[in-house]
Amino acid sequence: MKPIDLTPRTYITRGRARFALRCWALAAGLCAIAATLPISIESTRRGDHTAEIAREQIEQSQLRQQQNKASATAISNKLTQVERELQAQAHLTQRPDWSDLIARVAAQFDGQVMVGFRLGPLTDPRVREGVGPTAASAPADSVWLILGGVAETNSEVPGLILRLESLGLFDKVVMTKTERTSFAGAARTGFVLACRVQ
């Protein structure tokens, strides 16, 4: 004979409902864990910005290249202009400008007076006369600056020669003539210096 179950039907129904609810809650929890786990793993990883960094570097390189190209164009234009000016100057003058040389030489006369100068090749008779005996051993194509000056005493001239040599403009500076002379109403020493330019 079968045992009779006296459990109320509502209790059984409620138990079954609770069991089903627990099963569904467990399944929903497992689904939620399965969904959030990959998301949390992805969020903990550092983002890969390699492509973005490379794109920024390419943009910066292109910008630098444009700036360098503009600078090169400006420098090229300036160089062309300077070359044209130099060509025009050479075409017009065909000889160097010696004014800066004479100004620097005149600045070395400290207490002495420069009374004249002559610049030219050794083939110029007046230059050859100013060079004096040194002309015999000088190259025929050499260029000389002949300076005439007056000093209070003969001892001042060597100092002037040293100052001229220290300019670094001349291959050689020699005194080719000295004599007593009258200048500004007083007895002075007249001298001639020969400075070899090249």
Side-chain angles (χ1 to χ4, degrees), residues 93-110:
T93 62
Q94 292 298 318
R95 61 185 174 191
D97 179 15
W98 298 103
S99 59
D100 181 53
L101 171 68
I102 300 303
R104 292 176 69 182
V105 167
Q108 303 309 311
F109 280 76
D110 182 22

Side-chain angles (χ1 to χ4, degrees), residues 18-28:
R18 281 183 188 160
F19 179 73
L21 185 63
R22 283 183 191 147
C23 289
W24 281 108
L26 181 63

